[in-house]
Amino acid sequence: MTTFLPATGTLPDSAAAPQAVLLDMDGTLVDTEGFWWDAEVAVFASLGHTLAEEHREIVVGGPMTRSAGYLIDVTGADITLDELTVLLNTAFLRRIEREVPLMPGARRLLTELAAHRVPAALVSASHRAVVDRMLRHLGPESFALTVAGDELARTKPHPDPYLTAAAGLGADPARCVAIEDTPTGVASAEAAGCRVVAVPSVAPVPGAPGRSVVGSLTEVDLPYLRALWADPVDEPLPAV
C-alpha cells in the first residue's frame, strides 16, 4: 500500500508553485544506479551469464519487471521473472546494508524544502522493501508520502506513480515539479503533467519544453524550482 501522511484536502489554487516536489530515488537522491547494475551482473553471473555493458543504459531507471524481463530475454537465462525479481531485490538489499552515498546536493535540497514547508514525496519504481530500507539513509521525516513501484498496477514510464503522489498530497500535478535522472522517469512525470528537472545519471536526458536539465542537485534550490513557472510552458527551459 502506498505510504503517506494523508493530505487534509486539495491545496488552494493560490498556493505558490511548486505545490509539491516529487523526487525519484535511485540515481536522483541516492547514488545507487550502479548498485542495481552490480546486483544484476552478480545474479546473472551466478546463473552462468555475462551481462554486456550495452544493456545497462536500457535497464536503468525502469521497473523491476521490465528490466528483469529484458535481461532474461537477451541472455536466455533459465529462470522465471518472479524468481529473478527475488534474487535481484535480495542482492540489492544486501548491498545497501552498508552506507549509501547521497547524491551531491540531495540532503541540502530536502532540508530546504522541509524548512519552507514544501511537501516532498518519494516516487520510486523500486519495490516497497527497497524503498523502506533506503529511507533509513534518506530519513523518513523528509517525505510526506512515498510511492513504491510494486504498489501500483502500472509504474514508470506510465503517469500513475506521479499522479498517485500528487493526489496523496492534495496537489495539482501541473503545479508540481518532479526531479528525475532517467528518460523512463522523465516520461512518467511528464505524462502526469508535472514540470520536470532532470539530473541525468547513466542515460542522457535532453532538454525539452517544460523540462530543465542540470548537472547535479547542487544547482537546484527552492528559488530555482519556483522560477520554472516564470518560463512560458511552450518555451524550452534551460539545459546544460
Side-chain angles (χ1 to χ4, degrees):
M1 179 177 180
T2 304
T3 301
F4 63 92
L5 303 179
T8 56
T10 302
L11 293 174
D13 289 341
S14 59
Q19 290 183 340
V21 179
L22 316 176
L23 302 111
D24 174 57
M25 186 175 73
D26 293 297
T28 298
L29 290 176
V30 286
D31 191 7
T32 51
E33 288 293 9
F35 292 5
W36 277 113
W37 180 245
D38 290 345
E40 289 157 351
V41 168
V43 167
F44 275 88
S46 72
L47 298 172
H49 298 275
T50 300
L51 294 184
E53 187 70 21
E54 68 194 64
H55 302 308
R56 182 176 184 179
E57 188 172 312
I58 297 173
V59 300
V60 68
M64 174 71 72
T65 52
R66 189 194 74 182
S67 299
Y70 169 82
L71 292 174
I72 290 173
D73 288 343
V74 297
T75 60
D78 184 17
I79 189 171
T80 68
L81 182 59
D82 287 344
E83 291 170 338
L84 180 57
T85 296
V86 171
L87 291 179
L88 291 175
N89 274 326
T90 299
F92 185 79
L93 287 169
R94 188 181 303 119
R95 176 64 182 83
I96 63 174
E97 282 297 334
R98 304 191 291 275
E99 184 175 356
V100 173
L102 270 62
M103 298 298 286
R107 177 64 65 201
R108 177 202 50 75
L109 178 59
L110 292 174
T111 300
E112 182 180 12
L113 294 176
H116 288 84
R117 299 176 182 258
V118 177
L122 188 65
V123 185
S124 178
S126 294
H127 286 193
R128 170 54 59 186
V130 172
V131 170
D132 286 347
R133 188 74 61 85
M134 201 68 74
L135 285 172
R136 299 179 188 177
H137 302 282
L138 287 167
E141 70 281 356
S142 298
F143 306 98
L145 178 151
T146 64
V147 177
D150 58 338
E151 297 170 335
L152 303 172
R154 303 190 308 174
T155 186
K156 303 174 186 180
H158 298 287
D160 306 37
Y162 284 100
L163 292 175
T164 299
L169 295 173
D172 177 357
R175 300 185 71 185
C176 293
V177 59
I179 303 180
E180 275 281 358
D181 72 306
T182 66
T184 298
V186 167
S188 174
E190 291 183 342
C194 302
R195 294 291 178 99
V196 173
V197 174
V199 193
S201 57
V202 176
V205 180
R211 177 196 311 166
S212 61
V213 183
V214 297
S216 80
L217 290 179
T218 60
E219 301 175 43
V220 180
D221 55 15
L222 191 51
Y224 180 94
L225 297 178
R226 286 174 173 160
L228 297 179
W229 275 263
D231 294 295
V233 173
D234 60 351
E235 291 291 331
L237 294 171
V240 294

